[in-house]
Amino acid sequence: MIDLDDIDRAMIRAVAADALISAGALGRQLGLSQPAAWRRLKRLKEADVFRGQRLDLDAQALGFTVTVFLGVKLATKGRVSLEDFERAVTAIPEVQTVEHVLGLYDYRLRVVARDIADFERVLRRRIMTLPGVGNIDANVLLSEERLPGPIG
């Protein structure tokens, strides 16, 4: 674990907002010289504070207007390995996230679809046929007020 000061936290927030920001722009924003900003950024990267850069796609702009969260309870624990289920579910392009959770369900999935009919097709033909699937619970996303943000 790395010790972070206020400047490091501000740098993390700035990079989270714009992963392509230059060290010079970071320095100007944080009151540092370009070399000092670059050294701090390098130290944060070497400490694996940043796991990588991502492109944030707008699902609605791409025609995916429905988001559904699925709780999946496996029916045959022991007979079907978790790895088999995870390998199969991650191969479905409409499944955006796969979270192995503790509680009522074994997995929580975020699934996008073009519309409800498209979601039903994905559910029936792809998700319900996955190895070991038992009970499924669905929650349709109505609105999203806060997207995941930086820590700091």
Side-chain angles (χ1 to χ4, degrees):
M1 186 162 141
I2 185 173
D3 287 327
L4 301 175
D5 62 18
D6 290 340
I7 294 174
D8 291 329
R9 287 184 188 88
M11 184 171 281
I12 291 167
R13 284 190 296 273
V15 172
D18 178 5
L20 299 178
I21 191 169
S22 69
L26 266 175
R28 286 189 296 280
Q29 186 174 333
L30 302 174
L32 301 171
S33 68
Q34 185 272 340
W38 182 84
R39 281 192 302 276
R40 280 181 174 263
L41 190 59
K42 183 175 186 259
R43 180 176 65 85
L44 291 171
K45 287 179 180 178
E46 287 173 352
D48 292 326
V49 170
F50 306 113
R51 288 194 280 176
Q53 296 177 347
R54 272 185 212 144
L55 183 60
D56 185 19
L57 299 175
D58 185 332
Q60 294 240 343
L62 294 170
F64 294 94
T65 61
V66 173
T67 300
V68 181
F69 294 100
L70 295 178
V72 178
K73 182 82 171 167
L74 297 181
T76 55
K77 284 185 190 170
R79 285 209 263 158
V80 175
S81 73
L82 299 178
E83 292 81 17
D84 290 342
F85 174 81
E86 290 170 3
R87 187 173 23 280
V89 76
T90 56
I92 301 171
E94 292 87 356
V95 175
Q96 299 295 294
T97 59
V98 177
E99 299 167 336
H100 188 203
V101 296
L102 179 64
L104 185 59
Y105 294 97
D106 298 310
Y107 287 91
R108 182 172 180 261
L109 312 178
R110 182 183 182 122
V111 181
V112 295
R114 299 198 178 279
D115 52 32
I116 292 295
D118 185 41
F119 170 72
E120 182 180 10
R121 178 190 59 77
V122 171
L123 181 66
R124 285 178 182 239
R125 294 184 185 168
R126 295 185 176 175
I127 295 170
M128 291 177 80
T129 63
L130 291 172
V133 167
N135 295 334
I136 297 177
D137 183 49
N139 292 288
V140 176
L141 178 69
L142 298 177
S143 65
E144 194 165 36
E145 303 305 323
R146 183 179 189 286
L147 297 175
I151 297 173

